[in-house]
Amino acid sequence: MDINYINNLLQEGKSVKDIRTILGVGEKSFQKQIKQLGYKYNQKIKQYEPFTGAGASPITKENSIVSNKNDKGMILDIQIEGLNKETFKNNIIDLAANYERIKNMLDDYEHTNSIHAQNEILEVNTGIKIDSPEGEVERTTVRISKDILLKWNKFCDKNKQFSKKDLLGQAMIEFIQKYDK
């Protein structure tokens, strides 16, 4: 997020709400980012200025974007329908600012959803083993006794580390293996 860009929009007569809309950022997120950059809004001059009071983040090279007032910004040859250049520029800046978090999320996702992880047998201290074979999931309705359903829901509540789908699937697999002779 570029404070100089935001202050220029304010000088042009845009409101903070208009700027949030242009940037595609919610109110709380916007305020948090401004605070992290070490700035606060000065109502008298209608500009963001460095904030060094109590609770302010120290202004450092790492958390502040310094730009030359004569700088025209990024040169963009990309045109995306329904997305203006400034919004695109700010989205790219936000992605770059959050690169490590996004990369970590993708790494975690790939790890937990890899082919090996899907075929793994999960075991926890309770001794429950979930063998999750790959396959298409199908929705169905089953009629069951109210008492059995209550016991089932209590059992699932005690084993929240597993989904009801996985627990039911494993129970069915074990039942078939035990009685299908």
Side-chain angles (χ1 to χ4, degrees):
M1 189 173 290
D2 185 353
I3 290 293
N4 292 326
Y5 171 68
I6 293 169
N7 280 336
N8 287 338
L9 290 174
L10 288 167
Q11 284 178 338
E12 292 172 11
K14 302 268 190 232
S15 70
V16 174
K17 185 176 180 180
D18 293 336
I19 294 170
R20 286 196 324 263
T21 303
I22 290 168
L23 298 176
V25 177
E27 181 180 4
K28 296 287 183 190
S29 176
F30 182 80
Q31 290 173 351
K32 182 178 177 185
Q33 290 179 35
I34 294 292
K35 188 175 181 180
Q36 286 175 341
L37 290 172
Y39 287 84
K40 75 172 189 170
Y41 188 70
N42 184 328
Q43 193 73 29
K44 291 178 185 175
I45 62 172
K46 296 189 178 191
Q47 293 281 293
Y48 283 96
E49 59 185 13
F51 176 62
T52 55
S57 300
I59 299 173
T60 65
K61 189 175 181 181
E62 289 77 30
N63 69 2
S64 177
I65 296 176
V66 178
S67 66
N68 183 341
K69 290 191 179 195
N70 297 326
D71 186 10
K72 300 290 183 202
M74 295 172 25
I75 298 172
L76 301 173
D77 291 329
I78 300 170
Q79 290 184 348
I80 300 173
E81 191 173 321
L83 186 66
N84 68 37
K85 287 184 179 182
E86 289 302 321
T87 301
F88 179 78
K89 172 185 164 185
N90 288 314
N91 289 348
I92 295 298
I93 290 169
D94 286 342
L95 286 172
N98 292 300
Y99 175 79
E100 285 302 317
R101 289 181 57 212
I102 294 167
K103 178 100 173 79
N104 289 339
M105 285 176 21
L106 287 172
D107 289 344
D108 290 345
Y109 177 80
E110 288 172 2
H111 175 72
T112 58
N113 290 315
S114 69
I115 293 170
H116 300 294
Q118 288 177 2
N119 292 329
E120 251 175 28
I121 295 175
L122 302 175
E123 186 173 353
V124 294
N125 293 339
T126 61
I128 297 174
K129 296 178 185 178
I130 303 291
D131 187 3
S132 302
E134 289 183 39
E136 188 177 341
V137 176
E138 189 160 329
R139 183 181 202 103
T140 188
T141 302
V142 177
R143 292 184 184 268
I144 191 165
S145 158
K146 197 173 194 176
D147 292 337
I148 294 172
L149 183 59
L150 287 172
K151 288 179 184 179
W152 174 253
N153 286 332
K154 284 182 185 177
F155 175 79
C156 290
D157 287 342
K158 289 181 197 172
N159 296 283
K160 285 195 178 277
Q161 68 271 30
F162 302 110
S163 69
K164 284 185 176 182
K165 176 187 75 75
D166 288 341
L167 288 170
L168 183 59
Q170 187 62 35
M172 294 173 93
I173 289 170
E174 290 178 13
F175 185 88
I176 291 167
Q177 289 171 346
K178 184 174 180 179
Y179 295 105
D180 190 26
K181 294 181 182 183

